[in-house]
Amino acid sequence: MKIRWAFIGLLGLLGMGLWACNQPAAEGPGLNPLGMSSKAQRYLVVFRSETLPPGAKAWAEGQGARVLKALEPIGTLVVQANPQVAQRMARDSRVLGVGTEHRYSLPKRETVLETEETYGAPTPADSLYRWQWDIRRIKAPEVWARIPLEVQARATVAILDTGVMDNHPDLQGQIADFKATNYCQEVGGPNATPSYPKYSLWIDFDQPIDPENPCTLAPTVMYEAHGTHLAGTVAARFGGGRVVGVAPGLRLAAYKVFDRLHYTEGNEEVDDVGAFDGPIFEAILDAAQKGYQVINMSLGGTLDTRNREDVAAMVAWDRVMKYANRMGTVIVASAGNSAENANGTLVHIPSDLPTVISVSATGTATPLWQYPYPTSEILNAEPGQDVLAFYSNYGAAVDLSAPGGDCGLDENGVTWCAKPRSERPVGWRYHLILSTIIVDETTPAYAWYAGTSMASPHVAAVAGLVKALHPTWTPGEVRAHLKATAENLGQRQLFGHGLVDADHATR
């Protein structure tokens, strides 16, 4: 499976972020999808019944498999087994399919440090809001003037990601629940939360792995900022730090579904994070069962409908999304960063599924790049200047669009990302999306990122506002309402039904 992850970033103090224009999506190591030994792999065992049949776990263990996750509402087991056991299970008449558990990875990033200010100096004045053109572009301030924070707080958005820094000044008190479903679980931060974005354990592909305990101590500690950035876009609070979210009154549920991985690919040693099907499914089921109104999934991968190996995963993904839909949970997902037409036999999961709101990313042709850095000006993206971000996937499956950021367009209408950073004007970073990040447990910060990852939480936040106002609405009704109230940008294949409009959606 070719992996796509909806994230791009350069990290700095107000770290600028953008994936190089010609950078390929991250691939996994040249090992089996389990990350165990070649004799033991992780498999999805999908039964014909949409719930687990009686005795399914005991049956799998009797076949010689070790059950890692029993996902009863979608009739699926995640097991560790050798290929012969997997083949034997697949022949059982109750089993629809058995396939390897897939993994989803972050793309590689570059790092640029800025020295004008220090990382750990957030102020109580929301002093960076003037650069958050994306928040104003979708008309969030108009909502703040009408809908009290206590009304917004009726809804919770679950962030299924790398974890969230709950002691970030912009996010303190915003997170109502903490959950880790990843394989290498650990706590972090001053509150010892299970979903803290700290990774001191890893699965080391380069060493013999104990099937009973695949997680070993890494030589360093990694802090992954992606989930914290998304959380800030949804609900960074007023006066807490330096930025503001789309809906500062919404509650957040932080889910950690990623593990840290170590492997060697060619001559390159890789230290990265990746998420597997099982932990993602478990998090979706948990969030839906707890009644959380919205799930944001800024992640994804492509499955090939012609590939028998992908059938089990495809069925399981479809089932888990339909389950969440029945439970009343709206799911929003990023369309992907491969600049590909999503029409065809390759299906981007989860965004292409019919019960999911698929979000493409926009940038703006408003020449924000002409401003010096830093600037005291309030930056606004003018209506009518929206463009499809150069990296964004598109196609019939796209439902809505939202600001994801890009490099801006030069005087000839060519993206500044076509040039090296040294040849871009200093203001190109203003075209990215500014939000919260973590550097380490005592150092909150802010960064510019770009990607469909950054677009999706804008829509998730507006969906949360709609659910707060209309708690009895079904996910289908919310999806239809967001489409009907979106700002029409034309070109349905690029922008879906248009740019999400927070003001119109909450009238």
Side-chain angles (χ1 to χ4, degrees):
M1 182 183 75
K2 197 162 188 178
I3 304 300
R4 315 288 189 197
W5 224 91
F7 168 79
I8 305 172
L10 303 177
L11 177 131
L13 155 68
L14 296 175
M16 311 152 282
L18 207 63
W19 193 8
C21 299
N22 59 352
Q23 178 163 344
E27 297 285 356
L31 301 173
N32 64 66
L34 166 67
M36 303 286 182
S37 71
S38 60
K39 296 181 180 179
Q41 301 184 34
R42 279 201 297 264
Y43 293 94
L44 299 178
V45 180
V46 181
F47 289 86
R48 294 185 185 278
S49 59
E50 294 199 3
T51 57
L52 285 179
K57 184 176 179 181
W59 165 80
E61 291 172 344
Q63 296 292 315
R66 180 186 177 206
V67 177
L68 302 178
K69 294 184 183 292
L71 306 172
E72 195 279 336
I74 59 170
T76 300
L77 297 175
V78 182
V79 305
Q80 178 180 300
N82 63 43
Q84 292 73 31
V85 169
Q87 292 169 9
R88 187 162 60 246
M89 290 190 294
R91 290 194 291 267
D92 190 285
S93 61
R94 296 174 299 171
V95 174
L96 178 65
V98 176
T100 51
E101 185 187 36
H102 294 89
R103 192 188 69 220
Y104 308 85
S105 300
L106 290 171
K108 297 177 182 178
R109 290 152 289 167
E110 300 177 70
T111 299
V112 176
L113 299 180
E114 294 295 322
T115 58
E116 293 96 283
E117 305 175 54
T118 59
Y119 274 127
T123 69
D126 298 323
S127 59
L128 300 180
Y129 170 64
R130 65 184 183 273
W131 294 342
Q132 291 184 273
W133 62 268
D134 55 303
I135 303 296
R136 291 182 289 278
R137 181 66 189 92
I138 67 167
K139 304 176 187 174
E142 287 86 333
V143 176
W144 305 338
R146 292 186 292 102
I147 303 178
L149 297 180
E150 57 268 26
V151 174
Q152 298 180 29
R154 296 172 184 168
T156 298
V157 175
I159 307 292
L160 273 57
D161 214 272
T162 59
V164 178
M165 184 186 192
D166 60 287
N167 60 316
H168 194 292
D170 269 303
L171 298 172
Q172 286 178 352
Q174 301 295 83
I175 305 174
D177 191 14
F178 307 89
K179 179 79 172 181
T181 59
N182 59 330
Y183 289 116
C184 300
Q185 296 186 12
E186 59 185 311
V187 299
N191 301 315
T193 51
S195 58
Y196 204 80
K198 174 183 178 180
Y199 292 85
S200 60
L201 301 174
W202 65 10
I203 300 174
D204 190 353
F205 290 77
D206 288 348
Q207 301 296 327
I209 294 176
D210 179 1
E212 299 298 317
N213 184 22
C215 305
T216 56
L217 189 65
T220 60
V221 178
M222 171 191 289
Y223 296 92
E224 177 49 62
H226 189 263
T228 301
H229 197 278
L230 308 182
T233 295
V234 173
R237 64 193 181 101
F238 290 131
R242 304 178 69 187
V243 297
V244 180
V246 172
L250 285 174
R251 302 295 87 194
L252 297 170
Y255 283 82
K256 187 177 183 180
V257 299
F258 276 77
D259 285 294
R260 185 178 178 183
L261 311 175
H262 174 255
Y263 55 89
T264 299
E265 188 169 37
N267 295 321
E268 181 182 4
E269 185 176 353
V270 180
D271 182 356
D272 203 356
V273 294
F276 296 92
D277 287 318
I280 297 173
F281 296 159
E282 184 180 354
I284 294 169
L285 295 175
D286 186 82
Q289 289 164 357
K290 288 176 177 174
Y292 296 144
Q293 288 80 3
V294 181
I295 291 174
N296 183 81
M297 301 182 69
S298 290
L299 56 83
T302 53
L303 299 181
D304 191 335
T305 56
R306 301 164 299 181
N307 184 355
R308 187 172 61 182
E309 270 293 302
D310 286 349
V311 170
M314 181 78 74
V315 172
W317 271 104
D318 186 56
R319 285 183 182 178
V320 76
M321 293 307 183
K322 287 179 178 176
Y323 177 84
N325 190 76
R326 291 194 300 271
M327 296 293 285
T329 300
V330 179
I331 296 185
V332 183
S334 50
N337 287 352
S338 304
E340 289 181 349
N341 187 329
N343 302 324
T345 58
L346 291 180
V347 179
H348 189 267
I349 298 294
S351 64
D352 286 1
L353 294 172
T355 49
V356 177
I357 299 175
S358 175
V359 184
S360 65
T362 64
T364 180
T366 305
L368 305 178
W369 53 268
Q370 292 181 347
Y371 288 95
Y373 181 82
T375 179
S376 60
E377 296 291 328
I378 297 175
L379 304 180
N380 289 303
E382 297 299 328
Q385 296 290 301
D386 307 282
V387 296
L388 186 73
F390 72 91
Y391 51 79
S392 181
N393 285 358
Y394 55 94
V398 171
D399 296 299
L400 293 167
S401 57
D406 59 12
C407 296
L409 304 178
D410 66 15
E411 297 92 336
N412 299 314
V414 178
T415 175
W416 282 109
C417 272
K419 295 183 178 181
R421 289 197 309 273
S422 60
E423 298 180 17
R424 300 173 195 167
V426 293
W428 73 272
R429 72 196 75 188
Y430 293 135
H431 288 263
L432 310 179
I433 304 301
L434 183 61
S435 188
T436 48
I437 64 163
I438 180 175
V439 176
D440 57 42
E441 292 178 67
T442 60
T443 313
Y446 303 86
W448 304 91
Y449 287 167
T452 54
S453 274
M454 285 63 251
S456 184
H458 290 83
V459 175
V462 178
L465 290 170
V466 171
K467 285 289 283 185
L469 294 172
H470 306 282
T472 63
W473 281 13
T474 67
E477 289 172 324
V478 174
R479 289 194 299 270
H481 182 70
L482 292 178
K483 293 176 184 179
T485 57
E487 180 181 336
N488 184 8
L489 300 183
Q491 301 184 77
R492 171 75 175 78
Q493 291 278 318
L494 304 185
F495 304 109
H497 292 266
L499 189 78
V500 69
D501 186 326
D503 183 38
H504 195 184
T506 56
R507 290 285 177 181

